[in-house]
Amino acid sequence: MRGVVFDGSRVRVVDDLAVREPGPGEVLVAVAAAGLCHSDLSVVDGTIPFPVPVVLGHEGAGVVEAVGAGVTHVAPGDHVALSTLASCGTCAECDRGRPTMCRRAIGRPGKPFTRGGEPVYQFAANSAFAERTVVKAVQAVRIPRDIPLTSAALIGCGVLTGVGAVLNRARVDRGDSVVVIGTGGIGLNVLQGARLAGALEIVAVDANPAKEAVARQFGATGFLTSVEGVRDLLPAGADHVFECVGRVELIRQAVDLLDRRGQAILLGVPPATAEASFLVSSLFLDKSILGCRYGSSRPQRDIALYAGLYGRGRLLLDELVSAVYPVEDFEKARTDAEAGRVARAVLTF
């Protein structure tokens, strides 16, 4: 079968991958569509260290082909969106309703694929850039059949991360002010999360002025090409500033833009060894810097919620899909994504 494999030096679309059958508590999914996320590219450029060879992709949707013993919540033929959280469900963090912190699901990549008889790693417990993948049952969330799979694919990372960061981590409230630095796939979902939460002022900041129209479509009430003008719109500062780019200088700027009791929420992914600085005294007015993993989400709950909001016209999914590429055109999708020509490129099989 086809898949996108990174061998440590280059990325190739191959046609000789194989994947094993699902075991107990697992699901085999025929992937129909998968979003190209910045995290996939971060594996290729080394920002996210990961063992190789590896099948990339972690934001996908498809149709269940088979289930292992003990799986009852999905069945062959069901449409599912996939999450990256292979949480165990039994550890203390899972028991507290914090599956993103599951210690048994982080840093333990599996090898369900083979190529030429040699094992190949699975990225983010998902590897959606393959015609078929095996995931834990908890990662497969049934969705309505009327959601296009090209749109549903984006729920599993961009929507969970961006909207979840607003609703679950920052807990933006009605009337709050929000600044979003970076309006790529994650930033756009932060914008619509802020809109859903009832934020009054939602300022998008992106160096590319061509992104203003789509930023406003997703919920921005103001748009700037630099943080320099934020204080003109919000003289006292913002209640919440989301950094969605992953640059340390922007993290500092996010902190500096906060009002009293404000929160800076870090969603961008800088290099693993990157360090950021800020004035310690700037936090003394009850300000906070918050990390956020995967939107602090609970995928079985949140994916179903977002699918329902989409069905009611309150959550934008179709509009996130900038362009659709057959998997064979991965390099073109990658080039367009790196050049900022697309908010989300979607690969199809």
Side-chain angles (χ1 to χ4, degrees), residues 24-321:
E26 293 181 333
V27 177
L28 175 66
V29 177
V31 179
L36 176 56
C37 177
H38 184 74
S39 294
D40 299 305
L41 302 178
S42 293
V43 173
V44 177
D45 67 20
T47 300
I48 297 178
F50 205 87
V52 294
V54 57
V55 180
L56 296 175
H58 64 285
E59 184 181 68
V63 180
V64 175
E65 281 202 349
V67 300
V71 178
T72 59
H73 74 291
V74 294
D78 283 345
H79 287 204
V80 292
L82 302 178
S83 84
T84 71
L85 282 184
S87 50
C88 71
T90 60
C91 70
E93 297 296 344
C94 286
D95 191 52
R96 294 185 182 107
R98 300 198 293 246
T100 58
M101 295 295 109
C102 176
R103 297 181 188 277
R104 299 181 187 178
I106 300 174
R108 300 183 182 185
K111 300 177 183 177
F113 301 99
T114 56
R115 184 169 181 243
E118 297 297 320
V120 180
Y121 284 101
Q122 184 174 41
F123 178 53
N126 188 308
S127 288
F129 292 169
E131 287 188 74
R132 290 172 182 80
T133 190
V134 170
V135 297
K136 279 194 171 184
V138 71
Q139 295 176 254
V141 184
R142 188 171 60 240
I143 57 174
R145 289 174 177 266
D146 59 356
I147 301 180
L149 290 173
T150 49
S151 299
L154 305 186
I155 300 177
C157 179
V159 177
L160 277 180
T161 299
V163 178
V166 174
L167 302 182
N168 301 328
R169 186 64 168 131
R171 298 185 180 274
V172 173
D173 202 358
R174 291 163 296 182
D176 284 356
S177 57
V178 172
V179 174
V180 181
I181 302 175
T183 59
I186 299 300
L188 290 178
N189 280 296
V190 173
L191 289 171
Q192 68 172 336
R195 171 176 52 80
L196 287 168
L200 185 61
E201 299 286 345
I202 307 173
V203 180
V205 181
D206 198 292
N208 184 355
K211 293 186 176 183
E212 179 173 1
V214 70
R216 290 187 180 277
Q217 181 183 20
F218 275 76
T221 60
F223 183 90
L224 299 167
T225 56
S226 166
V227 297
E228 303 301 326
V230 170
R231 290 283 180 175
D232 294 331
L233 298 178
L234 302 172
D239 296 312
H240 313 274
V241 181
F242 294 82
E243 200 284 327
C244 304
V245 181
R247 288 168 43 189
V248 294
E249 66 271 23
L250 295 179
I251 293 173
R252 168 61 184 268
Q253 291 173 355
V255 174
D256 289 344
L257 288 173
L258 296 176
D259 194 358
R260 300 182 181 196
R261 297 183 57 82
Q263 301 178 134
I265 301 92
L266 311 185
L267 298 178
V269 182
T273 58
E275 297 182 0
S277 63
F278 56 89
L279 293 175
V280 175
S281 60
S282 69
L283 299 185
F284 290 160
L285 293 174
D286 283 2
K287 299 178 185 180
S288 306
I289 301 174
L290 303 180
C292 183
R293 173 174 164 78
Y294 205 41
S296 301
S297 61
R298 296 163 63 184
Q300 286 287 336
R301 177 199 67 175
D302 291 349
I303 288 176
L305 169 63
Y306 301 150
L309 289 171
Y310 168 83
R312 290 165 177 77
R314 297 179 60 192
L315 185 84
L316 303 180
L317 291 180
D318 304 336
E319 295 81 359
L320 285 168
V321 182

